[in-house]
Amino acid sequence: MERLEATVMNTVFRNPENGYSVITVQSGRTESTVVGILPELTSGEQAVFTGEWTEHKTYGRQFHSSLCEIQAPTTLLGMERYLGSGLIKGVGPSTAALIVAHFGEETMAVLAEHPERLREIPGIGKKRCAMISESFQEQQGARRALVFLQSYGISSALAVKITQKYGEQTPELIKANPYRLCDDLEGVGFRTADRIGAALGIAPDSPYRIRSALFYLLQDAASAGGHVYLPEEELCSQASALLTAPAELCRENLTALLLDRRLTAETGEEGRRIYLPAFDRAEREVALRIRELMLAARPDKYTGAAREITAFEKCRGISFSPTQRQAIRMALENGVFVITGGPGTGKTTIINCILELLSREHETVLCAPTGRAAKRMTEATGVESKTIHRLLEYGGEEGVFARDEDHPLEADCIIADEASMIDLLLMRSLLRAIEPGARLILVGDADQLPSVGAGNVLGDILQSGQVPNIRLTDIFRQSETSRIVVNAHLINQGQMPLLNEKNTDFFFERQASFGDTAASVVALAARRLPRYLKYPEDQAVSLSMRNLQVLSPTRKGDCGVQALNLRLQQALNPPRPGVPELTWGETVFRLGDKVIQTRNDYQIAWERETADGWEEGAGIFNGDIGFITRVDPEAHTLTVRFDDERDVCCEAADLENLDLAYCLSVHKAQGSEFPAVILPVAGGPPMLLTRNLLYTALTRAKELVVLVGQESVIRQMVNNNHVLRRYTALAQRLSETEAFIP
């Protein structure tokens, strides 16, 4: 990292919401441009910037600053520029000149320590003197707060966010308890707060520190591992290791949090289960509402169901198996019903039949967790399907929907596809909006990876044995010729897929090393498959980016998501004259890039053009995929059009939630379906190379799968049926509700 000590000349651009700025500075006789997330700087101020020099294609040499240390102006000209910049209320350029001329080098000291002396200046009375003094103190307080934070290694971006929250009280509040940052500000983790705490001399056994660590571990378990709770012994063991503190001390602080009801506990098979209260309440509520829907069902007497199913078969030229006919009948007769099965087992055809049987007298709505899954359901049924968020009329805040128990959905039946992706909190919101007496039909593949969010809702419902369900195993006649379908089922049964058949939709290419595998994956995506699929030459790149999806079991290594994204971007959308781009951290975002949202953002605005005009809303969610349609390097913004035609303008602070999507992790691809999938199978950590991950990857492909790597790795994945346990108790709670609901 380099340092640039300079005087601020002018602010060319500043985004007041996130602090992204473009400023000109002077160092010696040289003028330069500094860009980055910076505190509000004023002409005449001196600062030391830490970062690196870069060469921008349009704007030339720039200094990208990651840290800014503000220094008070020391020259008379610098003081005059600072005071006359408009930053200090009541002082304009002419007044600033008078103040500096009168007090000279003592100007800053007078303003800080003896502001009443300003009345020595003609034209400054008592009221104006007080205004200038108050404004100056506010600005100095904010700058002291920034200097305080940056002295502990906090980046300019985070320092700006913290001072926007606490203002000039920042140093005092954080000195008292730096761990409050974890609770008050999204994006500040325990480790950052702990680093500040250690520098401030917070005792290692401070209750603030230990209790913050316990919260952090539970939150991390939910976000990273999908756990709804942690066993007490495991939580205390993790806390002890994180804090280098005795487990007994962690247990004592845990007891205090439980007594204060800031955490909750319940006894289970593995001892006490420790919950964040929100997850405890959500799990109880989901179990209760499922049971209430089951009991409130008003099943119609479908005496003619068998005849109508037969008529549907004749109309569609199909023949349901006995299990499929049973699934349709049970869906009509139960308040809550689950249909699960792998690819090609006829889940969509069953949904179409249920829709036809119900549509004459009942209002039925379709939904799915993601935009891609909803779009696919619409295409398969001819009936509009919405994301669950859109169906519930999402309100712009996490968990806030217009549709709830007070304003339920106007539907007699709700069919939710890709139910394995529905996490605990989203399921609670969906259940709240379903009126007692309506049906809920969950459709999904229980053998896929569980939801990205906390919980294992579909798996727990099936495990409980309390909710009527059907598992489809027979492959539909139309799918028997698809080696994607056949091989997915073979893998799910612990058998090796058929790798060497010709003229199929499933290919395997042997490569001995990680490097050769990565090179082959890039060549397949950029050149070989577009030629094989006969894409027009002038559309080959765009069609490849939209139709071919590289998936990877790992994030790191030559065949991981990170490395493959860089190579695929270089092959499919390289830098070239006239194509604007933005840099965020180590990622370059370029016009035309394929990107993915990596975190729920409930506030970000979007707009979508419809036949009736422009529709507006808020919220982009983890896993949403889109393409960059506009880049404005000067304003440091870019526009992304996501799959459901929502246009989102992303500012600098939003870019931390975006990543390239030429290659996705298998987890991030859940709920999506792509015409073709390319999957490197070259090795990696055994905990990632599992059967259900391979199965999930294959079932993302609709028309073509290409595996690249080693046969031994495929065998390793097929044989590895280890499923990482998620700590959830929904299955037990469903069983318990049977006992106390009459």
Side-chain angles (χ1 to χ4, degrees):
M1 302 289 279
E2 299 181 70
R3 286 166 61 88
L4 173 64
E5 188 170 349
T7 301
V8 178
M9 302 294 290
N10 183 37
T11 298
V12 178
F13 169 82
R14 178 172 175 80
N15 184 322
E17 293 185 3
N18 56 43
Y20 179 80
S21 305
V22 179
I23 65 172
T24 56
V25 301
Q26 184 169 350
S27 179
R29 295 184 177 180
T30 304
E31 286 193 14
S32 305
T33 300
V34 176
V35 300
I37 294 181
L38 303 169
E40 191 168 2
L41 296 168
T42 304
S43 177
E45 285 191 294
Q46 293 174 283
V48 178
F49 304 97
T50 302
E52 57 186 15
W53 289 101
T54 61
E55 190 69 31
H56 194 282
K57 291 179 181 177
T58 305
Y59 301 104
R61 196 165 186 250
Q62 297 179 333
F63 191 85
H64 275 264
S65 173
S66 57
L67 188 66
C68 172
E69 303 166 60
I70 305 170
Q71 300 174 331
T74 57
T75 67
L76 296 180
L77 180 60
M79 294 178 195
E80 187 176 327
R81 285 178 174 172
Y82 171 67
L83 295 177
S85 65
L87 191 66
I88 309 299
K89 293 179 182 177
V91 180
S94 59
T95 304
L98 289 173
I99 293 172
V100 174
H102 186 76
F103 294 114
E105 294 180 355
E106 296 182 3
T107 297
M108 304 305 286
V110 167
L111 284 164
E113 300 168 17
H114 304 288
E116 69 279 0
R117 290 190 59 193
L118 288 171
R119 296 186 65 183
E120 298 173 13
I121 307 298
I124 297 182
K126 184 177 180 180
K127 186 176 180 180
R128 189 177 178 194
C129 177
M131 178 196 300
I132 295 170
S133 174
E134 183 180 350
S135 180
F136 180 80
Q137 293 300 329
E138 285 179 0
Q139 293 299 325
Q140 293 304 298
R143 274 156 173 69
R144 281 194 297 271
L146 286 169
V147 171
F148 166 80
L149 292 169
Q150 292 178 347
S151 68
Y152 293 106
I154 294 179
S155 69
S156 297
L158 184 53
V160 169
K161 187 185 290 188
I162 293 171
T163 52
Q164 285 175 342
K165 175 71 176 178
Y166 301 133
E168 60 184 288
Q169 292 182 295
T170 298
E172 291 73 24
L173 292 173
I174 292 179
K175 283 177 183 177
N177 176 17
Y179 300 97
R180 68 182 298 154
L181 290 167
C182 304
D183 299 327
D184 294 349
L185 285 169
E186 185 179 354
V188 180
F190 171 80
R191 296 180 190 278
T192 298
D194 201 39
R195 187 175 70 247
I196 299 171
L200 289 170
I202 301 292
D205 61 352
S206 163
Y208 287 138
R209 180 172 186 257
I210 295 172
R211 295 174 192 184
S212 178
L214 292 168
F215 274 102
Y216 161 74
L217 289 169
L218 287 169
Q219 291 162 347
D220 186 64
S223 61
H227 301 295
V228 176
Y229 69 87
L230 283 178
E232 180 179 4
E233 289 303 314
E234 185 169 334
L235 174 60
C236 290
S237 175
Q238 289 184 22
S240 177
L242 175 66
L243 298 166
T244 319
E248 188 56 37
L249 186 60
C250 299
R251 195 170 284 107
E252 290 173 7
N253 280 274
L254 174 59
T255 299
L257 289 170
L258 291 170
L259 289 173
D260 289 344
R261 298 186 178 181
R262 295 180 65 196
L263 297 177
T264 61
E266 178 153 347
T267 302
E269 295 177 0
E270 62 277 84
R272 282 205 302 181
R273 301 166 176 161
I274 309 300
Y275 286 85
L276 293 167
F279 286 117
D280 183 19
R281 291 192 297 268
E283 202 169 57
R284 293 173 186 273
E285 186 177 345
V286 166
L288 188 62
R289 288 186 180 277
I290 287 176
R291 180 67 66 182
E292 288 175 341
L293 278 178
M294 291 168 62
L295 294 174
R298 299 189 295 267
D300 298 312
K301 303 297 182 181
Y302 275 94
T303 53
R307 183 176 63 256
E308 292 182 16
I309 293 171
T310 300
F312 180 87
E313 289 176 309
K314 289 181 179 178
C315 178
R316 298 295 180 96
I318 61 173
S319 178
F320 287 125
S321 70
T323 303
Q324 291 163 333
R325 294 179 73 92
Q326 182 185 3
I328 297 167
R329 289 197 302 272
M330 291 181 71
L332 301 175
E333 295 168 359
N334 289 281
V336 182
F337 184 61
V338 180
I339 302 171
T340 182
T345 55
K347 297 190 296 295
T348 301
T349 310
I350 288 173
I351 292 173
N352 278 321
C353 184
I354 293 169
L355 282 170
E356 185 160 315
L357 268 58
L358 290 176
S359 61
R360 297 160 195 166
E361 300 178 7
H362 300 275
E363 178 69 25
T364 301
V365 298
L366 306 181
C367 62
T370 67
R372 284 199 164 207
K375 184 177 180 181
R376 192 171 72 247
M377 198 179 190
T378 299
E379 293 168 348
T381 63
V383 176
E384 183 186 14
S385 175
K386 299 179 179 179
T387 65
I388 296 176
H389 281 81
R390 189 177 171 207
L391 176 69
L392 300 183
E393 298 174 19
Y394 166 71
E397 279 183 62
E398 183 175 4
V400 176
F401 298 93
R403 296 288 184 172
D404 55 20
E405 57 265 56
D406 298 323
H407 187 206
L409 294 166
E410 297 161 359
D412 303 301
C413 179
I414 294 88
I415 302 177
D417 198 13
E418 293 286 359
S420 64
M421 290 187 64
I422 304 177
D423 63 37
L424 180 68
L425 298 181
L426 186 58
M427 177 58 78
R428 178 182 63 178
S429 296
L430 177 61
L431 290 168
R432 283 178 174 176
I434 300 176
E435 198 167 14
R439 295 180 183 81
L440 172 62
I441 302 172
L442 300 173
V443 184
D445 188 343
D447 295 316
Q448 288 185 26
L449 296 169
S451 60
V452 174
N456 185 22
V457 174
L458 182 62
D460 284 353
I461 288 173
L462 293 170
Q463 181 190 338
S464 74
Q466 299 296 311
V467 179
N469 65 87
I470 284 283
R471 177 180 283 271
L472 304 174
T473 56
D474 297 329
I475 301 176
F476 243 61
R477 184 175 67 249
Q478 294 95 321
S479 300
E480 290 177 347
T481 57
S482 169
R483 282 295 173 260
I484 297 175
V485 172
V486 170
N487 282 333
H489 284 272
L490 286 173
I491 289 167
N492 207 26
Q493 295 161 14
Q495 301 178 46
M496 280 290 287
L498 305 171
L499 298 177
N500 298 312
E501 296 186 325
K502 295 181 179 180
N503 302 318
T504 71
D505 55 7
F506 189 99
F507 296 90
F508 170 61
E509 180 178 291
R510 290 180 178 83
Q511 293 292 347
S513 69
F514 285 99
D516 290 343
T517 299
S520 182
V521 166
V522 173
L524 282 162
R527 299 186 304 278
R528 293 168 56 194
L529 285 183
R531 284 201 300 265
Y532 173 79
L533 296 170
K534 296 182 172 57
Y535 290 162
E537 190 171 338
D538 60 337
Q539 302 177 41
V541 171
S542 63
L543 289 173
S544 175
M545 291 169 66
R546 293 186 178 278
N547 296 336
L548 310 182
Q549 183 61 57
V550 178
L551 304 179
S552 177
T554 64
R555 285 202 61 81
K556 297 182 180 179
D558 288 348
C559 294
V561 171
Q562 295 171 342
L564 284 175
N565 261 323
L566 293 177
R567 295 184 65 161
L568 288 163
Q569 183 191 41
Q570 183 63 31
L572 293 166
N573 191 27
R576 51 203 187 276
V579 177
E581 58 186 43
L582 286 180
T583 299
W584 177 261
E586 297 181 358
T587 304
V588 176
F589 294 106
R590 193 170 293 127
L591 182 67
D593 272 338
K594 185 177 186 179
V595 294
I596 183 170
Q597 181 79 7
T598 59
R599 186 185 299 171
N600 291 342
D601 186 333
Y602 299 94
Q603 302 297 330
I604 193 167
W606 56 260
E607 61 180 13
R608 170 171 44 208
E609 189 173 12
T610 68
D612 300 323
W614 286 92
E615 176 187 2
E616 296 181 347
I620 298 294
F621 304 103
N622 188 357
D624 286 351
I625 297 172
F627 288 85
I628 296 175
T629 57
R630 184 174 183 271
V631 176
D632 186 340
E634 187 172 345
H636 210 74
T637 63
L638 54 82
T639 301
V640 179
R641 171 160 291 186
F642 287 95
D643 281 333
D644 49 3
E645 305 303 314
R646 289 176 297 171
D647 289 327
V648 176
C649 180
C650 300
E651 298 180 340
D654 304 318
L655 300 184
E656 64 182 339
N657 299 332
L658 275 186
D659 205 350
L660 297 176
Y662 297 97
C663 178
L664 299 176
S665 70
V666 178
H667 287 81
K668 289 290 188 187
Q670 285 177 265
S672 296
E673 187 177 72
F674 310 97
V677 164
I678 306 168
L679 180 74
V681 283
M687 63 180 296
L688 295 177
L689 301 180
T690 62
R691 180 188 301 174
N692 70 334
L693 186 140
L694 179 59
Y695 172 80
T696 301
L698 264 59
T699 55
R700 300 307 87 211
K702 186 177 180 180
E703 300 169 5
L704 181 68
V705 165
V706 182
L707 303 184
V708 185
Q710 302 171 40
E711 195 166 343
S712 61
V713 175
I714 299 175
R715 183 173 289 105
Q716 175 188 350
M717 296 180 78
V718 170
N719 292 336
N720 183 6
N721 198 29
H722 176 70
V723 177
L724 290 174
R725 179 185 176 184
R726 287 193 170 189
Y727 290 117
T728 65
L730 180 58
Q732 178 183 324
R733 294 191 192 278
L734 281 166
S735 299
E736 291 170 351
T737 58
E738 185 179 30
F740 64 82
I741 292 185

